């Protein structure tokens, strides 16, 4: 999807934001708050259509997804230990 869905401008912007082909293809969201972004990163975020509000929502959603991934990684072990 990295190469098929994105043009060079979007790939460059995502790279500035710290995304890789792998993290993009795994649907990983941003983990850094808007206030932590540099001016260059904020410009890159806007380039991909994410202003401060959209970015903040995406960070919150990624945090929830990470909690779920962490739970999925440990829950089978807890069930097996019972």
């Amino acid at each position: 999807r990295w190469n098929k869905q994105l043009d060079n401008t979007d790939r460059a912007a995502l790279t500035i934001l710290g995304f890789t082909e792998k993290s993009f293809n795994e649907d990983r969201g941003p983990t850094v708050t808007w206030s932590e972004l540099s001016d260059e990163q904020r410009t890159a975020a806007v380039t991909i259509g994410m202003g401060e509000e959209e970015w903040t929502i995406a960070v919150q959603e990624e945090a929830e997804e990470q909690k779920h991934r962490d739970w999925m990684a440990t829950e089978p072990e807890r069930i097996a230990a019972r």
Side-chain angles (χ1 to χ4, degrees), residues 1-2 5 7-8 17 23 30 34 38 44 51-52 56 80-82:
R1 295 183 353 220
W2 176 265
Q5 291 181 341
D7 62 24
N8 290 338
L17 291 165
S23 64
W34 185 263
S38 68
E52 182 175 1
T56 300
R82 290 183 187 166

Side-chain angles (χ1 to χ4, degrees), residues 54-69:
E54 295 85 4
W55 187 266
T56 300
I57 291 168
V59 168
Q60 292 167 348
E61 289 173 350
E62 177 57 25
E64 288 300 315
E65 287 293 322
Q66 186 59 52
K67 286 180 192 176
H68 179 73
R69 287 190 296 270

